[in-house]
Amino acid sequence: MKKKILSTVLAGAMVMSLAACGGGGNSGGGNSGDSAGGSSGGDKGGKLAVAIWDNGQKAGLDEIIKDFTEATGIQAEIQVITWDQYWTLLEAGASGGDMPDVFWMHSNEVQKYMENDILMDLTDRIAASDKLEMDKFPQDIKDLYSWDGKTYAIPKDVDTIALFYNKTMFDEAGLSYPDDTWTWDDFYDAAVKLTKDDGSQFGTAMNPSNEQDGWMNIIYTMGGRVLSEDKKSSGFDDPNTIKAMEFVQKLIDNVMPPATTMAETGTDVLLGSGKIAMLSQGSWMVPQFKEHEYIAENCDVAVLPKDPATGKRTCLYNGLGWAVSAKTPNPDAAWQLVEWFGTKDMQLKQAQLGVTMAAYEGVSDDWKNNTDKFDLQPFLDMREDTVFRPATRATLTWWNPMVEILKESWNGNKPMADACAEVAAEMNEAIAAE
């Protein structure tokens, strides 16, 4: 099928905060907030400065902070900072400037912050707490925020990936909605039927930077891997990984908008503009999507497709952590706030308010009821077979080059098998240098 250039201008493009748990770019981790300003630690005894990068979660977290202030008398204020600026400001603060008192940590970045004494060691405070139940949090996330026998962040949330689909487009094409019987072959066949020759509509969209929320799920579902189990080598030379990525290439060639359109516009904007019929996306996007008139009216959610050969269905998951600056002038107050965020009651409230799925065991079942605009059960069902988001000691040293190399295949300049070989070599060199 010859790819057509979008013939109409994308009108009313939405500005979204692409939240919390993916990587960089315009995927689940290319995240935008409502403030480009800096965030600095409060004066001793003053208001705590809290930094996050997802504006979609702010309203719910403000409610939780309001409860905290009423219970303790301690005030705190959230500042939302764009994803890229967030890490720039934290790095500047770690080098001698001001840092927020409390802030989010991510698997991409946390190791260097723990190793360089930038985060407060919470180990003894956790041990003395009568409010936290650390055994109720996923071990993968606890391990992520621990180093050298010490703990540096309290788990905040978990996320999974599911499939948003446009019911109106399916109805117009006379197609049945995606369900738990679908394989990736079924996905492809439907995407072909939903792609119009005039370039006005495509079956799906996915950027190289849609890693956790996009193509990495296909890799693991089809038996491949991004990283070896011992985290010492790349999985991009695995035959199953190459097979999965060549399937992604087929999607790129036949059922996606041009790579330049996806890169410039963003896959979430394409969904909200009625330009694509299906989009795999993280649970962190629900707060934004449920407030988007077009998506809320036309779309719903299904589980990700299965591997046609094995019937296996897998998605990546991740989780953020609440951390405290090692240099905060308000250590006791800052600790009380992250402790508060980690209690069962506040984890439950986070889920009920629809902020995001909670890290605390069992309470995310209430998250699916935070809106009646979508059936969110598929996000919970995807927890049955998950793989933790690939990370090493210095993830970004190979993650960013991986995305750049894959862009060459998205743009039609390099066969996907060649790109996989190049990624494997780049990863292995970077991991060896760690």
Side-chain angles (χ1 to χ4, degrees):
M1 181 184 299
K2 187 176 180 180
K3 183 176 294 184
K4 304 288 185 179
I5 297 177
L6 288 175
S7 58
T8 58
V9 177
L10 291 170
M14 58 186 172
V15 178
M16 289 190 169
S17 93
L18 298 177
C21 301
N26 51 25
S27 70
N31 313 301
S32 59
D34 63 356
S35 168
S39 177
S40 61
D43 295 331
K44 188 171 183 179
K47 186 179 293 187
L48 293 173
V50 181
I52 68 173
W53 60 73
D54 180 11
N55 194 48
Q57 298 192 36
K58 183 178 184 296
L61 293 176
D62 279 340
E63 285 291 313
I64 294 173
I65 287 177
K66 180 181 177 182
D67 292 345
F68 172 73
T69 299
E70 290 176 354
T72 65
I74 301 169
Q75 294 186 326
E77 182 177 9
I78 292 177
Q79 294 177 327
V80 184
I81 306 167
T82 60
W83 168 263
D84 290 332
Q85 290 175 327
Y86 184 93
W87 299 108
T88 300
L89 289 166
L90 280 192
E91 289 180 10
S95 300
D98 288 333
M99 292 186 73
D101 300 289
V102 174
F103 45 91
W104 285 349
M105 269 288 116
H106 187 280
S107 55
N108 278 357
E109 301 275 358
V110 67
Q111 189 68 34
K112 67 181 180 183
Y113 283 84
M114 294 190 295
E115 289 184 3
N116 289 288
D117 299 322
I118 298 167
L119 308 182
M120 179 189 289
D121 176 6
L122 304 179
T123 311
D124 292 341
R125 293 177 185 267
I126 290 171
S129 174
D130 60 359
K131 298 180 176 66
L132 291 176
E133 299 172 278
M134 294 297 287
D135 62 325
K136 298 297 185 180
F137 295 115
Q139 191 63 46
D140 284 333
I141 299 178
K142 289 190 292 186
D143 290 345
L144 177 64
Y145 298 115
S146 299
W147 179 70
D148 198 24
K150 299 176 182 178
T151 300
Y152 291 90
I154 302 296
K156 174 191 174 289
D157 54 33
V158 295
D159 53 60
T160 58
I161 314 300
L163 182 67
F164 280 89
Y165 62 94
N166 190 309
K167 296 179 293 183
T168 303
M169 291 181 181
F170 272 78
D171 292 343
E172 290 174 350
L175 298 176
S176 298
Y177 298 154
D179 60 26
D180 62 2
T181 68
W182 264 35
T183 67
W184 281 108
D185 285 346
D186 295 322
F187 176 92
Y188 176 78
D189 291 343
V192 169
K193 294 172 183 176
L194 290 160
T195 299
K196 295 184 177 180
D197 288 339
D198 63 1
S200 63
Q201 178 181 302
F202 293 87
T204 191
M206 192 183 300
N207 277 308
S209 56
N210 294 123
E211 322 97 348
Q212 182 192 346
D213 56 333
W215 50 268
M216 281 190 179
N217 300 284
I218 301 175
I219 286 178
Y220 281 94
T221 295
M222 293 188 176
R225 60 180 61 248
V226 171
L227 190 64
S228 65
E229 193 168 338
D230 62 6
K231 300 184 178 183
K232 293 182 178 179
S233 63
S234 174
F236 270 85
D237 52 3
D238 185 310
N240 286 327
T241 301
I242 298 169
K243 176 184 72 173
M245 291 305 291
E246 288 181 333
F247 174 81
V248 171
Q249 184 70 68
K250 186 167 72 166
L251 296 176
I252 296 166
D253 291 342
N254 298 324
V255 298
M256 292 190 195
T260 52
T261 299
M262 293 188 289
E264 292 169 0
T265 308
T267 56
D268 58 319
V269 177
L270 292 168
L271 181 71
S273 302
K275 298 301 179 184
I276 59 172
M278 295 180 285
L279 179 66
S280 63
Q281 189 53 266
S283 52
W284 59 83
M285 288 301 289
V286 171
Q288 291 89 334
F289 283 177
K290 73 181 183 182
E291 299 301 325
H292 189 276
E293 184 177 353
Y294 179 86
I295 294 177
E297 182 179 345
N298 291 281
C299 298
D300 209 344
V301 184
V303 292
L304 292 181
K306 302 181 288 188
D307 178 18
T310 65
K312 177 183 178 182
R313 186 194 333 274
T314 300
C315 85
L316 271 68
Y317 84 101
N318 195 25
L320 303 185
W322 285 110
V324 177
S325 169
K327 296 181 179 179
T328 176
N330 306 288
D332 293 335
W335 157 250
Q336 288 181 64
L337 180 57
V338 298
E339 180 187 42
W340 181 266
F341 281 131
T343 62
K344 179 180 180 180
D345 287 346
M346 291 306 108
Q347 286 276 297
L348 178 60
K349 186 163 187 173
Q350 173 178 262
Q352 291 172 335
L353 289 172
V355 175
T356 186
M357 294 168 66
Y360 189 98
E361 180 182 299
V363 303
S364 281
D365 288 345
D366 280 32
W367 174 79
K368 70 180 179 183
N369 300 320
N370 81 82
T371 181
D372 60 1
K373 295 177 180 177
F374 312 117
D375 176 11
L376 299 182
Q377 183 62 43
F379 282 108
L380 301 182
D381 293 342
M382 289 305 304
R383 297 177 301 180
E384 296 176 7
D385 192 351
T386 56
V387 173
F388 197 60
R389 187 177 188 271
T392 62
R393 178 175 171 273
T395 303
L396 291 182
T397 61
W398 56 265
W399 192 283
N400 290 339
M402 170 190 73
V403 172
E404 291 302 311
I405 292 167
L406 291 175
K407 286 180 181 178
E408 293 298 303
S409 293
W410 255 257
N411 290 325
N413 298 327
K414 183 174 295 186
M416 188 64 79
D418 292 351
C420 287
E422 188 174 341
V423 170
E426 182 83 25
M427 285 182 66
N428 287 332
E429 182 177 351
I431 293 169
E434 292 182 3

